[in-house]
Structures are given as structure tokens and as C-alpha cells.
Amino acid sequence: MFDIVGDIHGQAIKLKQLLAKLGYRQSDQGYYHPEYKMIFVGDLIDRGNYQIETLQLVKDMVDNQNGYVIMGNHEFNAIGWITPDPKHPSQFMRKHNTVHHKQHHIFLQQLGENSQQHEYWINWFKTLPLFLEFDQIRVIHACWDNNIIRAIQPYLDDQHRLLTSSIVDAFNKQNPLFDYCEILLKGKEITLPDGVYYFDKEGTKRHKSRIKWWLEQANTFNELCLIPDEEKNIALEHTVDVKFDEYTDSKPVFFGHYWLTGQPAIQTSKLACVDYSAALPQGKLVAYRWQGESLLTNAHFIF
């Protein structure tokens, strides 16, 4: 049985509060529970004030077989930030531009950019699987797509981790691996109608939007797109024409990434997002306590 926890983003205090509420106990070998193991859906880093404390707490649980963790897009981006571009040795696979630095500067500041500690955690990030598949459930950071899961296999080892030889390709837009990682770790996107844009939570102007890939159907861009309510406008009431690949497998899938708000609720009886904006002051760090059920229920969210 598992407790699947959403994006932490350096919120170690909220994580400790959630662990206590879930009945985990602290020992010399980290937190543990006599019946449950914790699964972290990635995005441990960036934004929050307790980067190192969060990482160490999670790693201790994983090392002592009291938890599992997968890669989020922020761990993935952190790898790209420090990976040199072999074609341009003075540059890196994730551009050191203003937008990217804004997203990542708290992590760099607290660890010390290019320090031994920075290198240590990047090397650990490289060991994180892109997804987990157990007998009865699946866990991924942003989007489960069976076609992409099959296509990405040649780039992964038997524990679903990126091969060392694949890391540069994962950031190369000309390589199919780039698109595979984008979908699994960052979600599916749609281009907005000409002249339509919005500003995301960090103030960046966006002409593309992540979509609610779990929907069975949507009639307008407002219904389909993950856009802050205050940014929705009449232009996004345009009719949308998009084909949905409905998830119909028997195994439930848990994921994070989407900065949801409000009362935690399942997306379908087989799909549940556990990210409820923990990095925001009013945001919740959420867990779903999975007890073996094949049909998910709102009653098992704890926050």
C-alpha cells in the first residue's frame, strides 16, 4: 500500500506536517510507516525555502526502502542546466536565460551553483526513474501515454531511468527523445489561436498551453487548457478540435505537475493528480492513500 505525494518544491515543513498526519514516524534512518510506503511524484526542488532539507528527507526514505521517487520536470531541467552542450562547449543543454534562471535560482542559491553539493544532487537526479509501474498502479510526473512509454524504452535502462548516453539527446529538439520527455515530464500542449496568449504564474507570456489530457472531451480552449482563471478570456471560448486518447487501462495512474487548486478530487476513476500547488502560501501538499482499490475515490486524499 502506498501514499502518493504531490510536488513538494522545497516545502519541507509542509512535508513533515503531512508525514505526521499520515502516521509516519521518524527514526535514525529517516521517516517510515509500518504499513505504507511513500511515492514522490517528482518536482522536489525549486521555489521553496528548504531545498536541501527536502532532498535529504526524501533520499533517506528511498535509501532505507521506505519510499520511492520519480523524476519531475524540475529535476530534469536541473540536469540540463548543468550539462554542457557538446556542440557549443561554453553553453548548456538547458539555456541559461532569464526565464529559466528565474525558475531555478533558489535551488542554485541554496546549494551553491557548481559546488560539490550541487554536483552530488544532480548525479542523484540522474538515477531517478521517469515512471514507476507496479502490479496494480502506475506513477508518472505529468502524463501517461502508452505509445510514448513504448517508444521511449530504447533510451531507458531496466529501471526506467534515462541511460547516461541518452541525456544530451533528451534536451536536443531534433531528437525524438526530446518530445517523449516533454510529454511524460511536462504534459501535452496545444497551440492557442492566432493572437491569443496568457501569462503563467511566473509572469511569462505563453502562446501554448498545457492541456487536461485526462478529459474525455472538451468543447472550448477554456475547457481544455490549464490556464489560470484570471487569465481566461473571451478569445479562449473558441471551439477546439482535438482528438483525445482516453486512458482505458485497468491500472490507476497517479501524477502531479499541474498546480491544481481547491478540494482534491480524482480526474476519473483511474486517474488522480496529487499536485495542489504546495509552493503557494495557500497551496496544499496532498497525498492519495492507495489501499489496493482499482477504482479511485476522493475519500482517500489527505492534506
Side-chain angles (χ1 to χ4, degrees):
M1 295 185 290
F2 299 112
D3 291 313
I4 302 98
V5 178
D7 306 26
I8 302 168
H9 285 303
Q11 301 292 324
I13 293 175
K14 288 185 179 181
L15 176 56
K16 290 179 180 180
Q17 291 170 342
L18 182 61
L19 284 162
K21 190 167 187 177
L22 289 164
Y24 285 75
R25 305 166 189 168
Q26 195 170 10
S27 72
D28 293 340
Q29 296 182 322
Y31 285 87
Y32 73 97
H33 194 287
E35 298 177 44
Y36 287 87
K37 293 185 185 293
M38 189 158 277
I39 302 177
F40 300 93
V41 302
D43 278 10
L44 309 177
I45 65 165
D46 294 332
R47 299 196 169 96
N49 293 324
Y50 304 96
Q51 303 286 305
I52 298 170
E53 189 173 357
T54 298
L55 288 169
Q56 196 61 61
L57 190 159
V58 171
K59 188 174 185 296
D60 285 346
M61 290 186 72
V62 173
D63 288 350
N64 290 290
Q65 300 182 322
N66 293 313
Y68 300 86
V69 62
I70 60 173
M71 187 182 292
N73 61 300
H74 282 256
E75 288 78 39
F76 179 74
N77 289 343
I79 295 169
W81 181 272
I82 204 172
T83 300
D85 184 340
K87 295 182 179 179
H88 307 280
S90 63
Q91 299 178 30
F92 296 86
M93 295 310 295
R94 182 164 174 82
K95 293 184 187 305
H96 287 196
N97 60 31
T98 301
V99 172
H100 294 166
H101 186 263
K102 184 178 181 180
Q103 294 169 348
H104 198 42
H105 77 279
I106 293 176
F107 175 81
L108 297 174
Q109 183 182 65
Q110 292 189 14
L111 276 78
E113 188 167 6
N114 299 321
S115 66
Q116 286 186 334
Q117 185 168 230
H118 186 195
E119 183 178 354
Y120 171 84
W121 287 110
I122 295 299
N123 286 334
W124 185 64
F125 295 165
K126 292 177 181 178
T127 71
L128 305 184
L130 269 61
F131 57 89
L132 293 171
E133 180 152 18
F134 298 97
D135 289 342
Q136 293 177 277
I137 65 169
R138 293 164 168 166
V139 184
I140 198 160
H141 183 66
C143 176
W144 189 278
D145 183 302
N146 284 321
N147 292 327
I148 302 299
I149 295 291
R150 284 190 290 269
I152 203 172
Q153 292 303 320
Y155 303 93
L156 307 179
D157 66 12
D158 59 0
Q159 296 182 53
H160 314 311
R161 303 176 298 190
L162 279 169
L163 297 169
T164 301
S165 58
S166 297
I167 287 175
V168 168
D169 288 338
F171 294 93
N172 178 2
K173 292 184 178 181
Q174 308 306 314
N175 193 293
L177 180 58
F178 176 88
D179 290 327
Y180 303 157
C181 290
E182 285 284 303
I183 290 173
L184 300 183
L185 298 179
K186 303 179 183 182
K188 297 180 178 181
E189 287 191 337
I190 194 169
T191 300
L192 299 176
D194 289 346
V196 177
Y197 59 86
Y198 71 98
F199 292 94
D200 67 15
K201 59 186 175 294
E202 293 169 328
T204 302
K205 190 176 184 179
R206 300 288 187 183
H207 294 275
K208 292 183 177 182
S209 173
R210 291 170 182 160
I211 65 170
K212 300 172 186 175
W213 59 271
W214 51 85
L215 294 179
E216 293 182 6
Q217 66 177 29
N219 298 314
T220 67
F221 283 93
N222 269 334
E223 292 177 2
L224 176 66
C225 297
L226 284 148
I227 294 174
D229 287 341
E230 62 274 14
E231 289 293 319
K232 291 183 177 179
N233 57 61
I234 193 67
L236 290 170
E237 285 302 321
H238 282 305
T239 301
V240 66
D241 181 18
V242 62
K243 181 180 179 295
F244 286 82
D245 296 320
E246 185 180 353
Y247 182 81
T248 58
D249 292 3
S250 60
K251 288 185 184 181
V253 176
F254 296 94
F255 56 97
H257 186 61
Y258 290 103
W259 288 76
L260 302 185
T261 57
Q263 184 71 17
I266 60 175
Q267 279 56 56
T268 74
S269 63
K270 295 293 185 180
L271 300 170
C273 179
V274 290
D275 179 25
Y276 280 80
S277 309
L280 298 178
Q282 71 278 20
K284 306 176 184 71
L285 185 60
V286 169
Y288 184 100
R289 173 152 277 182
W290 182 75
Q291 301 174 39
E293 67 272 16
S294 60
L295 298 177
L296 305 180
T297 171
N298 292 339
H300 287 185
F301 283 105
I302 300 173
F303 53 92

